[in-house]
Amino acid sequence: IDGQAHPTELVDDVGADLPLVHELPEYRLRVGAAGRAQLAVRIGPPRTEQEFGSWRQAQLRETYAFGDVEPLDAVFLESFFGRNATCNTRAIDAEIARRRPDLPRYWGVQDLSIEVPAGAVPLVRGTTEWWRVRNSARWVVTNEWLRGGFAKQPFQTVMQTWHGSMYKQIGLDRGAKGKSHLITVQDELSKWDMFLSQAAETT
């Protein structure tokens, strides 16, 4: 409260009913116990009970990354794993909005506090709709890795915009990271159709 920590103590009647979970439109609120009769309040992304936890996320991944998927005439965009809606990805979004205002644009975000460009639809990472759209949109634009949860569909075109300067060791140039890292990089590269170069010097 007011940035200060306040010790709490739970009475037995209250503690017996915990944890309590409230699934609200903008966030998920969990009230539980921590340590010895301490109250713990956790505010997280607005996922439902069917979207919460590693097992349920694995089920959604199987359904939407590796199941039968119908193509969706839309663009899915994501920047820095949904931590914001900025960088090269946002510039691409602006150009799509200008040229094709009829084309739906979806942004993957960590939570709904992240503001997306006007006319775009925010999708909270890990929700059913996020999995569905990311794995069915005809065009995918990202400035980060898509990682193992993304299985590229034959109808999808992926643009990797990356971020910042290329004057550093990335990808296969980081051989010191070991063989498993190189295999992961090769898998990631196989999903890209286009790689955006920010300048002739970078190229």
Side-chain angles (χ1 to χ4, degrees):
I1 301 172
D2 296 328
Q4 303 296 315
H6 293 270
T8 58
E9 185 173 340
L10 296 176
V11 297
D12 291 340
D13 289 348
V14 174
D17 293 331
L18 298 180
L20 297 174
V21 176
H22 299 279
E23 294 172 359
L24 304 169
E26 296 185 354
Y27 56 88
R28 186 177 194 266
L29 180 67
R30 186 182 190 276
V31 181
R36 298 186 62 187
Q38 293 291 307
L39 185 68
V41 179
R42 182 174 180 178
I43 300 173
R47 295 185 193 165
T48 66
E49 195 64 32
Q50 290 71 38
E51 300 164 339
F52 196 79
S54 57
W55 185 84
R56 291 185 178 94
Q57 284 297 300
Q59 297 301 304
L60 288 168
R61 176 176 179 262
E62 288 297 315
T63 299
Y64 292 102
F66 302 108
D68 293 330
V69 178
E70 287 292 321
L72 177 67
D73 286 329
V75 183
F76 174 86
L77 306 104
E78 202 165 86
S79 176
F80 297 112
F81 303 118
R83 293 193 297 270
N84 55 46
T86 60
C87 199
N88 303 315
T89 319
R90 191 177 184 109
I92 298 292
D93 174 279
E95 191 63 15
I96 294 169
R98 187 180 73 81
R99 294 189 186 199
R100 288 287 308 276
D102 59 306
L103 195 64
R105 295 157 18 247
Y106 296 93
W107 275 83
V109 295
Q110 289 283 2
D111 59 57
L112 294 177
S113 70
I114 297 165
E115 185 178 343
V116 301
V121 179
L123 298 176
V124 174
R125 285 173 59 89
T127 59
T128 302
E129 194 66 356
W130 177 83
W131 279 104
R132 184 186 73 81
V133 172
R134 189 177 76 141
N135 288 280
S136 63
R138 288 191 183 276
W139 299 278
V140 176
V141 183
T142 181
N143 74 345
E144 269 288 3
W145 287 25
L146 293 162
R147 295 182 171 170
F150 179 79
K152 183 185 173 187
Q153 303 292 338
F155 55 79
Q156 289 186 305
T157 298
V158 175
M159 172 185 277
Q160 170 59 257
T161 74
W162 203 241
H163 53 271
S165 167
M166 304 302 275
Y167 295 111
K168 58 184 178 181
Q169 287 187 333
I170 64 170
L172 296 175
D173 289 332
R174 301 178 72 191
K177 298 281 284 185
K179 186 175 180 180
S180 62
H181 170 75
L182 298 181
I183 292 172
T184 301
V185 171
Q186 291 282 20
D187 178 63
E188 188 72 19
L189 290 173
S190 71
K191 300 170 184 175
W192 302 346
D193 296 290
M194 292 177 278
F195 188 97
L196 181 66
S197 176
Q198 292 91 343
E201 292 80 6
T202 301
T203 303

